[in-house]
Amino acid sequence: MSTRYLHYFFQPNSIAVFGASERQMSMGGMVIKNLLASGFEGQLMAVNLKPYHSVYGVRCYRHLKTLPKRPELAILCTPPHTIPHLVKELGIYGIKAVLVLTGGMSRAQSKSNKIFEEFQNFFNDLLGFELSKKPPRLLKNLIQEVANRYDIRLMGPNCIGVLAAKSRLNASYAHSAIQEGAIAFIGQSGILSMAMLDWANGRDIGFSYFTSLGDSVDVEFSDLIDYLVDDENTKVILLHIETLCHARRFISSVRAAARKKLVVVLKSGRFSASQETPEPVPLGLRHGDCVYRAMLRRAGVLRLESSDELLDTLSVLTRMKPLNGERLAIMSNGMGPNLLAVDALLRQGGELARLSDATLTALVPILPAFWSRQHPIDVNADAQAERYATTLRLMAQDANVDAVLVIYGPSVQSDALIVAEKIIQTSQELPCNVLTCWMGMGKVESARQAFDKAKIPSFVTPEEAIDAFMQMVKHRRNQVSAVQTPPLFLNENVRNRQQAWYWINHALDHQRDWLTTEEAKEVLAAYHIFLKPQIESEQISSLMAQILEWNPPYRLQLLHTALFKPFHSASDVPNQDLSLEILHKGELENAANQLRNELNRHFPQSLFLGYQLQRMQRDESMMRLRVGVTRHIVGGPVIFIDTGLHSLLNILTQEVELLPINLKLARDLIGYNKINQWLELYTLEPDKQIQKLSEILVQLSQIVVDVPIIKTVELILLLSHREGLIEHQVAMALGENAELAIQPYPEELQSETVLSTGETVLLRPIRGEDEPAHLHFLEQLSPRAIRYRFFNHRYKISHSELARLTQIDYAREMAFIAVSQQGNNPVTIGAVRAYTDADNIQAEFAIVISDKYSRCGLGTALICKLIDYCQKRGTLQMIGTVLPDNEAMLKLVKKLGFHVFYDKTEEIMKVSLHLNPANFEWQRTRLWP
């Protein structure tokens, strides 16, 4: 994640367009014309090897060195094979922002390997550095390497360019300009981006910024999102995503943005057949799109399912106030449209408002005498503008209503435009949101245009209106869910990481990338997941001798090498785990022979290792659940749970979660996959079993976090009517270390410190489960301490604010809390936090200490811990602001070496501490004194 030099793309003072000419269909010529048409106020230059005097009136130069000044932005529209050498020249010249519009660099090879060798030798001999020893196969790899060498930010290749409304910039080959608005659009497909632009212009939807990344060899989604998150002209960030490369960077940036702005995502390429370069489907999953759903869900963004939803959703989300609730009131001049809307609302899980008796009574003199006194409201076909407006006003003022949908069907008894103008006037006076649906095309088109001009969402059909409203509801639910406090479930005291690693190393010592049943059992047991007792032997006679005291039924399992590898079974194989239910002891030998035959038939390459026998409960169902951990090529390790049934419904609804997870996420995952319904059907105490299953998911997640070489896990759970979930069978496989898409809780940063009072306190990173304790801590602070921390006399803090303080992204922020063990209760007594910018230049910190623990060394211990953390992660500078009368804090930071100075403009003291040297000028320009 880095925003360095990105302002040159969106706010350049000078631009040079390479490859510009007046030749018909010249891409560079199109860019020049668009820049002129947009009214770009900076200096514009054209570059072309041919001796043109000018291109559309813009002075043209033959070489980079002949330009009158160094441009802040270079736009390349030259043939593909010329781009690497040109990027090198730009780097030598000191240009830091390059926009490559040329395509054909991600699929086309270079003209010959000799060209690569010439480039490589040229760079090695003249520039004194070596490219990768293995020549890149694609031109885009070469320009990426050159750009990195010269610290160039490069957007593209194969992008449409950049459009920025406030900068009057259209540095693209797009067929039309953007209208000014509050949406920043970042796409990947040039054609889809231009179609999106055309659609938006047709609906009077404007943009603050508009661009496509193309092949994005350098600048990617996370960089642009970090740049846009603090842009005051952008209220909505809209992403069209085909592929992603860096899940952790993407999630971190999007999650931070979603806390400040609305982030909407249209993700295409759900299945292998719709992917340009098909991604491998993770073992155990039906498809990979469920991983992207989990990524976007975890980031707190709104995902659209199709391009059909795109503009209607934007129309609603950018033109309406945030929802305070989900209750929708509906009115129309006919009951037919009303019923269509209600059906669509309830089908999608929406809530129809219940009008109060007072509202229904107030409507009686307004509506016809035959009105049914029911909601939705039928104002009748003869309704004029005044009846519409009065009805709308009464409904909107009802305390049980959060939004109103007004529907109009063409009628000879009323004028569509007059009614629309009255609705526009009335809606401006109302506290709640208003959506409109003027059904039809010809006679109502002018009314819809009036709504668009007034920035009121308007739709053609009731179903479209409901779809868009439910996107608002979905976004609201996402935001509420994102700040829910996870239940407390701490398992440090029961984990035994060393025991788990012992058995992992045991498998590695035997040169296996999979664990035996015994090894996998021991790993699970270290985290308090215990498999059902079982006995194993290579001979059936030995098993029979060991079960003299066991009464049937039993489950006989044949052990073979493929069994120990997760997800080994194919869905079309009967008895896929090669096990049989045994009702009588005398059946064991025949069952064993049958299983051996099945092994030879279905797993001919798998080696026979013996038998395993488990006692079954008489009420034990053959119904089973499968908990799995697998890896996605982008999303990394994920966890899932299903019934193992390969039906179409399961394929379309399968959901996963990114690791790590907590109890809340585990319960959500159970609900997403409807597993709670299975537990209600098959167990006596479903709530207890949901809790047990949630804890299993959390513990399994922690195993993979602690032992990152675990590649896949398959845990089979059986369902007993009386006993509930029974851990039946497990398989584990190993691989290379995998990075989690979300940085896990950094438990290794925990430490203890001794205060001057002699008390030992724990210093550790904060986590979401700390919210109740953190609230109690803040509530105990004195007004003076609150003022010093928050710079105002606040006495209440909202749940959403608390969630942001405790549910942090460890990839870009850190908060350490001091915990005092008071009896059996851990009590928060202090907190220090720092938020680091995307370039890791500055970390802005703040600290607050319990009044009872002031002047005992706690503040020093917390700040020193934060300084050590920031210094080790490479942050250049810690900064902070302190009220001038906070003498104790100013004395402390001076003692720790901070530079302190007074800002006259803000009337505040600013403090800074240099942690690491700045290696580049762009870094030094962003540092405080």
Side-chain angles (χ1 to χ4, degrees):
M1 297 173 289
S2 177
T3 62
R4 74 183 191 282
Y5 308 138
L6 292 189
H7 62 285
Y8 291 140
F9 290 100
F10 300 104
Q11 300 172 353
N13 291 314
S14 55
I15 300 175
V17 182
F18 290 76
S21 74
E22 295 185 10
R23 179 174 49 84
Q24 188 176 10
M25 301 306 294
S26 164
M27 181 184 293
M30 296 178 195
V31 174
I32 291 286
K33 288 197 292 185
N34 280 341
L35 283 166
L36 293 172
S38 65
F40 176 65
E41 297 175 347
Q43 184 171 357
L44 187 56
M45 297 161 275
V47 182
N48 198 307
L49 289 175
K50 295 182 179 180
Y52 299 128
H53 178 269
S54 65
V55 177
Y56 298 113
V58 174
R59 178 67 186 275
C60 186
Y61 304 85
R62 294 191 66 184
H63 301 287
L64 173 63
K65 294 179 180 179
T66 61
L67 294 178
K69 68 178 296 185
R70 182 172 61 191
E72 291 185 347
L73 174 63
I75 304 176
L76 309 189
C77 306
T78 59
H81 69 275
T82 68
I83 299 296
H85 184 73
L86 190 49
V87 172
K88 181 263 302 183
E89 288 189 328
L90 294 170
I92 294 175
Y93 199 56
I95 294 173
K96 297 301 182 182
V98 177
L99 189 61
V100 182
L101 275 56
T102 303
M105 304 184 70
S106 61
R107 292 188 295 271
Q109 302 283 340
S110 67
K111 291 187 175 180
S112 70
N113 287 333
K114 185 177 180 180
I115 291 180
F116 274 125
E117 294 173 6
E118 290 174 354
F119 275 125
Q120 213 165 19
N121 292 333
F122 179 79
F123 287 132
N124 293 345
D125 295 340
L126 298 184
L127 303 180
F129 75 95
E130 292 187 1
L131 295 170
S132 57
K133 293 181 180 179
K134 182 178 180 181
R137 296 187 314 167
L138 303 177
L139 286 172
K140 72 173 187 177
N141 301 135
L142 184 55
I143 65 170
Q144 179 182 23
E145 200 163 344
V146 176
N148 291 341
R149 175 67 178 84
Y150 287 100
D151 192 32
I152 293 173
R153 299 312 308 272
L154 192 147
M155 191 180 297
N158 196 30
C159 67
I160 67 168
V162 173
L163 298 89
K166 286 291 184 181
S167 303
R168 303 178 69 178
L169 177 72
N170 184 356
S172 77
Y173 60 83
H175 63 289
S176 63
I178 57 174
Q179 299 181 40
E180 187 171 340
I183 303 170
F185 174 80
I186 310 171
Q188 282 185 314
S189 166
I191 290 297
L192 187 59
S193 296
M194 287 193 285
M196 170 69 191
L197 179 58
D198 205 57
W199 291 335
N201 284 338
R203 292 287 297 270
D204 287 329
I205 294 176
F207 297 92
S208 55
Y209 302 99
F210 194 98
T211 187
S212 75
L213 293 174
D215 295 327
S216 55
V217 298
D218 174 40
V219 176
E220 55 186 33
F221 282 110
S222 57
D223 301 316
L224 294 183
I225 292 168
D226 282 330
Y227 177 82
L228 293 168
V229 70
D230 293 322
D231 180 72
E232 61 182 14
N233 299 314
T234 299
K235 307 301 181 187
V236 178
I237 298 175
L238 171 61
L239 309 176
H240 167 244
I241 301 173
E242 294 177 340
T243 60
L244 285 174
C245 295
H246 304 106
R248 179 177 287 191
R249 292 201 300 229
F250 174 78
I251 293 175
S252 179
S253 61
V254 171
R255 183 183 179 190
R259 290 185 168 186
K260 295 183 178 181
K261 303 179 187 294
L262 169 62
V263 182
V264 181
V265 174
L266 177 63
K267 171 69 175 71
S268 55
R270 293 168 177 259
F271 303 97
S272 297
S274 60
Q275 296 167 358
E276 185 173 353
T277 303
E279 295 176 351
V281 177
L283 290 173
L285 300 184
R286 323 311 193 235
H287 59 85
D289 188 63
C290 56
V291 178
Y292 288 104
R293 285 201 299 268
M295 290 171 59
L296 299 174
R297 184 171 62 237
R298 196 76 169 263
V301 306
L302 175 62
R303 180 180 183 176
L304 304 181
E305 296 300 320
S306 68
S307 58
D308 289 339
E309 296 179 347
L310 190 59
L311 288 180
D312 286 341
T313 300
L314 289 179
S315 177
V316 169
L317 293 172
T318 59
R319 296 177 175 180
M320 299 186 70
K321 301 180 285 289
L323 281 178
N324 294 320
E326 303 176 5
R327 300 164 299 181
L328 179 67
I330 302 172
M331 60 177 289
S332 176
N333 57 350
M335 190 54 72
N338 277 339
L339 298 182
L340 287 175
V342 172
D343 283 346
L345 179 70
L346 300 182
R347 185 171 60 248
Q348 297 187 49
E351 181 179 357
L352 183 65
R354 292 180 177 272
L355 299 181
S356 66
D357 291 339
T359 299
L360 294 174
T361 300
L363 286 169
V364 170
I366 308 300
L367 299 177
F370 51 82
W371 173 51
S372 64
R373 292 181 63 91
Q374 292 182 350
H375 180 231
I377 303 298
D378 179 3
V379 296
N380 203 41
D382 63 350
Q384 302 300 307
E386 192 60 40
R387 185 188 298 172
Y388 257 97
T390 305
T391 303
L392 170 60
R393 187 177 296 108
L394 290 172
M395 295 173 73
Q397 292 171 348
D398 193 311
N400 298 327
V401 173
D402 300 305
V404 180
L405 170 59
V406 182
I407 307 175
Y408 175 90
S411 171
V412 297
Q413 297 171 288
S414 61
D415 186 285
L417 181 58
I418 293 176
V419 175
E421 290 172 342
K422 191 67 175 179
I423 293 296
I424 292 170
Q425 177 186 347
T426 304
S427 65
Q428 294 172 347
E429 310 165 0
L430 301 177
C432 73
N433 286 307
V434 176
L435 299 86
T436 63
C437 171
W438 258 231
M439 301 176 67
M441 293 300 293
K443 294 186 177 181
V444 299
E445 187 60 32
S446 59
R448 274 202 293 270
Q449 291 175 357
F451 284 126
D452 285 339
K453 186 175 181 180
K455 306 301 182 185
I456 295 176
S458 180
F459 306 93
V460 177
T461 68
E463 292 87 350
E464 285 182 359
I466 294 298
D467 288 345
F469 174 74
M470 288 307 297
Q471 292 293 354
M472 291 181 64
V473 171
K474 182 179 176 182
H475 177 252
R476 180 177 184 274
R477 291 174 180 174
N478 285 347
Q479 295 298 303
V480 171
S481 177
V483 297
Q484 285 183 358
T485 307
L488 186 63
F489 180 69
L490 307 180
N491 52 15
E492 296 98 329
N493 296 328
V494 299
R495 289 204 306 265
N496 192 331
R497 189 179 299 124
Q498 289 183 341
Q499 181 181 342
W501 269 108
Y502 172 83
W503 291 104
I504 297 295
N505 288 327
H506 186 268
L508 294 175
D509 290 343
H510 288 78
Q511 298 182 337
R512 285 187 274 107
D513 62 356
W514 49 271
L515 275 63
T516 65
T517 300
E518 185 63 26
E519 290 166 341
K521 278 176 55 181
E522 293 295 335
V523 171
L524 292 182
Y527 292 77
H528 280 211
I529 302 175
F530 300 103
L531 290 189
K532 186 177 180 181
Q534 54 200 22
I535 55 176
E536 297 179 4
S537 176
E538 293 185 14
Q539 303 295 329
I540 280 295
S541 58
S542 176
L543 286 181
M544 295 179 68
Q546 296 181 61
I547 61 169
L548 296 176
E549 298 181 0
W550 282 17
N551 294 318
Y554 317 112
R555 176 172 284 109
L556 180 65
Q557 173 90 49
L558 187 142
L559 304 178
H560 55 103
T561 52
L563 178 68
F564 297 123
K565 297 181 180 180
F567 318 117
H568 68 282
S569 301
S571 61
D572 58 349
V573 176
N575 296 324
Q576 42 187 294
D577 61 356
L578 299 185
S579 66
L580 290 173
E581 182 178 342
I582 309 299
L583 299 177
H584 303 285
K585 292 181 181 180
E587 298 176 359
L588 278 172
E589 191 166 350
N590 289 335
N593 292 332
Q594 182 179 342
L595 291 177
R596 288 293 294 268
N597 291 333
E598 292 290 338
L599 174 65
N600 295 332
R601 177 183 174 191
H602 297 297
F603 301 97
Q605 305 300 319
S606 187
L607 299 178
F608 169 76
L609 298 176
Y611 300 97
Q612 180 189 93
L613 197 66
Q614 285 184 332
R615 176 188 287 177
M616 291 180 60
Q617 298 297 326
R618 292 192 178 275
D619 71 331
E620 189 175 301
S621 168
M622 287 302 291
M623 180 62 197
R624 59 183 58 195
L625 299 179
R626 180 178 65 164
V627 177
V629 172
T630 187
R631 288 184 184 179
H632 184 263
I633 191 171
V634 175
V638 298
I639 192 167
F640 67 93
I641 179 170
D642 61 22
T643 60
L645 300 177
H646 292 251
S647 67
L648 178 61
L649 179 62
N650 280 330
I651 291 174
L652 297 178
T653 62
Q654 186 179 37
E655 298 292 346
V656 304
E657 262 301 346
L658 305 176
L659 299 185
I661 64 171
N662 55 31
L663 272 181
K664 174 194 172 297
L665 293 170
R667 289 173 178 169
D668 288 345
L669 183 61
I670 292 169
Y672 295 147
N673 289 284
K674 308 291 191 295
I675 301 300
N676 53 328
Q677 298 178 9
W678 289 101
L679 295 176
E680 289 171 1
L681 285 173
Y682 285 94
T683 63
L684 286 175
E685 300 178 291
D687 291 341
K688 181 179 178 180
Q689 299 309 313
I690 289 174
Q691 176 65 18
K692 178 179 179 179
L693 182 55
S694 299
E695 292 180 6
I696 288 174
L697 289 167
V698 173
Q699 295 284 35
L700 197 55
S701 165
Q702 191 60 50
I703 290 174
V704 179
V705 171
D706 290 344
V707 189
I709 68 169
I710 293 178
K711 183 178 181 180
T712 50
V713 181
E714 184 177 23
L715 175 63
I716 303 299
L717 306 173
L718 301 179
L719 292 181
S720 166
H721 187 60
R722 287 197 305 267
E723 295 188 14
L725 292 168
I726 300 172
E727 296 89 333
H728 167 58
Q729 179 181 312
V730 65
M732 287 187 187
L734 309 176
E736 299 294 327
N737 279 4
E739 180 183 78
L740 301 178
I742 296 176
Q743 187 167 322
Y745 179 75
E747 186 181 355
E748 69 279 1
L749 295 178
Q750 294 186 139
S751 63
E752 291 183 340
T753 189
V754 180
L755 306 180
S756 61
T757 60
E759 181 182 356
T760 300
V761 299
L762 175 67
L763 307 182
R764 64 168 176 83
I766 202 167
R767 55 190 163 209
E769 292 86 346
D770 290 319
E771 183 181 325
H774 206 67
L775 174 61
H776 179 74
F777 163 62
L778 295 176
E779 288 176 339
Q780 301 304 308
L781 295 175
S782 66
R784 183 183 182 188
I786 291 174
R787 175 174 167 269
Y788 282 161
R789 168 60 181 88
F790 297 104
F791 291 13
N792 58 45
H793 297 284
R794 62 187 303 168
Y795 290 94
K796 291 184 179 180
I797 186 167
S798 68
H799 163 65
S800 60
E801 289 176 293
L802 273 170
R804 287 174 171 81
L805 291 175
T806 56
Q807 299 178 34
I808 67 174
D809 178 5
Y810 302 111
R812 62 174 64 214
E813 57 187 315
M814 178 52 69
F816 292 111
I817 59 173
V819 181
S820 170
Q821 192 65 35
Q822 300 180 5
N824 294 326
N825 299 318
V827 178
T828 301
I829 59 173
V832 64
R833 67 181 60 247
Y835 186 88
T836 308
D837 62 55
D839 296 305
N840 201 23
I841 303 296
Q842 293 179 319
E844 185 172 6
F845 80 98
I847 184 171
V848 61
I849 304 294
S850 171
D851 295 88
K852 296 179 181 179
Y853 283 83
S854 62
R855 302 183 185 279
C856 65
L858 181 58
T860 301
L862 281 170
I863 293 183
C864 286
K865 187 172 182 67
L866 187 63
I867 290 173
D868 181 66
Y869 168 79
C870 291
Q871 193 168 39
K872 288 179 178 177
R873 78 186 301 265
T875 306
L876 303 187
Q877 186 181 55
M878 273 181 60
I879 62 172
T881 53
V882 183
L883 290 177
D885 63 335
N886 191 349
E887 296 178 358
M889 183 63 185
L890 292 172
K891 181 180 179 181
L892 172 59
V893 295
K894 287 179 181 179
K895 183 181 73 172
L896 294 175
F898 281 78
H899 174 65
V900 180
F901 61 99
Y902 181 68
D903 188 316
K904 294 181 180 180
T905 304
E906 298 183 24
E907 297 182 342
I908 204 162
M909 303 300 293
K910 292 187 174 182
V911 302
S912 63
L913 179 67
H914 291 280
L915 303 176
N916 291 289
N919 297 320
F920 301 97
E921 182 60 28
W922 69 269
Q923 295 175 327
R924 287 187 281 271
T925 60
R926 289 169 55 177
L927 294 174
W928 283 9

